[in-house]
Amino acid sequence: HGLQGVSRQCMPMQGDALILVSGFKCPPAPAEVGGPSGRRLLKVSLDGSTGPDYYGPRFPPGTRRSSRFFLTVSPGQETIYLSGFESEGADGEVVRNTIWRAKWPDREMERFAGPVLGEGTNALTLNNPRGLACDSQGRLIVCDYLGDRLCLLSPQGKLEKTLPVRGPEQVLVHPQTGSLYVLSIGDRGEGGMHGNARVEFKAHKALVKFKSIDDFAETARLKFPEKPLYVHDFGPHIALDASGPQ
């Protein structure tokens, strides 16, 4: 069912189903959903079953397997946003620094924000965007990882503001309180070799809580132990229990 070789990813809920990026061994899709070409988004129920809406939009042309993906859905659960694509072509930087969006059961994704869209004050240049989250107004919060900031985008893709955060990698928004939870890598450190493997030494990694995207005051910080991190490692993953205000 396309779940073999699934990359590490942040999987959002859409109704009672998970939205995820297919594995690199995804089998050909039927003709009614666009045919066999390429990997795509998939929808899987929490009990592991799949239905007629299993196959979603295909990857953008020219993209390849990535070691990590970040996904989120809009409050009405109609629009899916995704970052983390890679490309081996000449447009690699454009693909890597673009936010994509789609609606189920669209066959294709479209560029939503990034280095090729917008002019003047609406232009947005991202530098390795990672985590994504939507607030209750449908605005998209983007972790601009190497840009050391959060970017707040309107549902139309207009840049509303940026907020300084060192190395933001993942972000979650509490749907009731609007509180913001950001996984931050305060010091990306230096790379080096550990045996035959390349490692990057990550320091000051922490989960930081802010009052809201509009009242950007830090209210709590949970620090993680420092340790070498292999280049292809990723984590920790964070999830939010939104059943209560805390």
Side-chain angles (χ1 to χ4, degrees):
H1 290 291
L3 301 183
Q4 291 181 314
V6 169
S7 297
R8 291 157 287 190
Q9 54 190 279
C10 300
M11 298 176 289
M13 293 289 297
Q14 189 179 50
D16 60 352
L18 284 171
I19 302 297
L20 68 153
V21 175
S22 67
F24 63 89
K25 296 181 180 180
C26 185
E32 59 266 25
V33 295
S37 60
R39 296 171 64 195
R40 60 186 67 227
L41 296 180
L42 304 175
K43 183 181 292 188
V44 180
S45 297
L46 290 180
D47 62 3
S49 63
T50 59
D53 58 350
Y54 174 62
Y55 290 103
R58 293 178 291 203
F59 279 23
T63 56
R64 64 175 176 83
R65 182 189 180 197
S66 174
S67 60
R68 52 185 168 233
F69 289 99
F70 303 88
L71 299 89
T72 193
V73 295
S74 62
Q77 300 194 338
E78 296 178 350
T79 304
I80 303 162
Y81 298 96
L82 189 148
S83 67
F85 282 114
E86 298 283 350
S87 172
E88 296 178 343
D91 62 344
E93 288 298 314
V94 171
V95 170
R96 183 179 302 110
N97 294 320
T98 296
I99 307 298
W100 305 83
R101 72 175 175 185
K103 293 185 178 181
W104 218 275
D106 289 354
R107 293 186 178 183
E108 309 292 342
M109 300 180 192
E110 64 177 1
R111 285 189 173 96
F112 173 69
V116 297
L117 298 179
E119 298 178 356
T121 57
N122 290 337
L124 177 63
T125 301
L126 297 169
N127 193 352
N128 199 341
R130 297 194 177 184
L132 307 170
C134 285
D135 69 1
S136 60
Q137 301 178 47
R139 300 178 297 180
L140 182 67
I141 303 166
V142 180
C143 289
D144 193 16
Y145 178 65
L146 294 181
D148 292 323
R149 61 181 182 167
L150 298 179
C151 298
L152 180 65
L153 309 181
S154 72
Q156 293 74 40
K158 179 181 178 180
L159 178 63
E160 294 192 356
K161 63 179 175 181
T162 62
L163 298 164
V165 177
R166 178 67 174 170
E169 189 168 53
Q170 297 176 50
V171 59
L172 295 170
V173 180
H174 196 293
Q176 300 177 32
T177 66
S179 296
L180 212 63
Y181 299 84
V182 181
L183 180 63
S184 166
I185 298 179
D187 182 2
R188 286 182 288 270
E190 299 293 332
M193 298 301 295
H194 184 73
N196 294 323
R198 179 172 174 78
V199 297
E200 293 176 344
F201 293 91
K202 312 289 187 179
H204 309 302
K205 181 177 282 193
L207 181 63
V208 187
K209 181 180 180 181
F210 299 93
K211 189 171 182 180
S212 72
I213 192 67
D214 296 309
D215 186 0
F216 201 62
E218 182 177 329
T219 60
R221 179 179 290 260
L222 175 64
K223 296 182 179 180
F224 294 101
E226 298 180 14
K227 66 175 185 177
L229 180 70
Y230 289 90
V231 166
H232 296 295
D233 285 351
F234 174 58
H237 283 285
I238 59 175
L240 178 64
D241 178 1
S243 59
Q246 300 301 320

